[in-house]
Amino acid sequence: MSTSSVDRPLQPGDRAPNVVLNAISREGKIALDDFRGRSPLLIGLFRGLHCPFCRRHVAAMAQLKPALREKGVECLAVVNTPVERARLYFRYHPAPDLLAASDPERASHRAFGLREVGMDTVMAIPFHLPGELPEPMNVMAMNEFLNKKEGYEITEVDQQAMASSQAQLVGQFLIDRAGIVRWNFTEVLEDGLNTFRALNPEELMSAASQVAH
């Protein structure tokens, strides 16, 4: 897939790019243009499934899908995990009716303006998760701790993804039927909880109500 890059996350009023990705939840491809003129779309652009917080983001999107569907909004979760590995994960952790797609090259993230940052920058941030971590940890130690706690087994494919010198920031974008971004939620690289914080469901549903009309 070839897409252009933008130097900032797409904002409300920007036109969303068309991206074409390998489907995880079914065979074939998924293209954003498939939704244009048909329904609004919430697209979540996440890191690989080796990231415990991205697995939570995917699960949260699946939980919100019925309420969004009532408003006519479709959902698409995109992960940086290769398609076969991702299909294996969803086989054991099903997300019924949630469309999911694979983008190990991160082309869709670049097209939506989600930047990569050096791992040295991320590693310098201590993460505080009271109730989940016994003490502040760097991102690699935190991921190892949470993956072990949640029973996620790291494969060679996951290790290859984790070996990158660049860390991918993530985001979610609500796109209307005309292909225009109407709302976004993007990750902020800050000390503490902000880097892995979840979106506000009430804010999303309010935006979805407006897009649906």
Side-chain angles (χ1 to χ4, degrees), residues 144-205:
E144 182 179 357
F145 180 88
L146 292 177
N147 283 334
K148 183 176 181 180
K149 179 180 178 181
E150 296 173 8
Y152 184 88
E153 295 185 11
I154 296 294
T155 67
E156 183 178 351
V157 171
D158 293 320
Q159 290 175 340
Q160 291 172 354
M162 295 166 66
S164 172
S165 61
Q166 299 291 311
Q168 176 68 61
L169 297 183
V170 306
Q172 300 187 47
F173 300 83
L174 183 62
I175 305 166
D176 68 14
R177 290 181 182 84
I180 304 299
V181 175
R182 296 302 180 191
W183 175 90
N184 73 355
F185 175 83
T186 56
E187 192 169 48
V188 177
L189 191 65
E190 293 181 359
D191 190 359
L193 295 172
N194 288 331
T195 301
F196 296 109
R197 63 194 172 97
L199 61 76
N200 183 321
E202 293 181 359
E203 181 182 325
L204 169 60
M205 296 308 295

Side-chain angles (χ1 to χ4, degrees), residues 10-86:
L10 295 187
Q11 300 298 311
D14 289 336
R15 177 167 292 278
N18 180 43
V19 294
V20 183
L21 303 166
N22 288 319
I24 296 169
S25 45
R26 58 174 172 77
E27 295 297 326
K29 303 285 186 178
I30 297 175
L32 294 200
D33 273 358
D34 294 342
F35 299 91
R36 290 179 184 166
R38 181 167 65 86
S39 68
L41 173 70
L42 175 68
I43 181 171
L45 301 169
F46 307 123
R47 284 178 289 275
L49 293 168
H50 60 272
C51 166
F53 289 93
C54 292
R55 297 197 299 270
R56 297 178 189 189
H57 289 324
V58 171
M61 179 177 278
Q63 291 177 346
L64 286 170
K65 181 176 173 58
L68 288 166
R69 177 181 285 170
E70 288 184 2
K71 299 181 182 298
V73 177
E74 295 292 335
C75 296
L76 173 62
V78 179
V79 294
N80 298 149
T81 302
V83 64
E84 292 303 325
R85 169 59 172 152

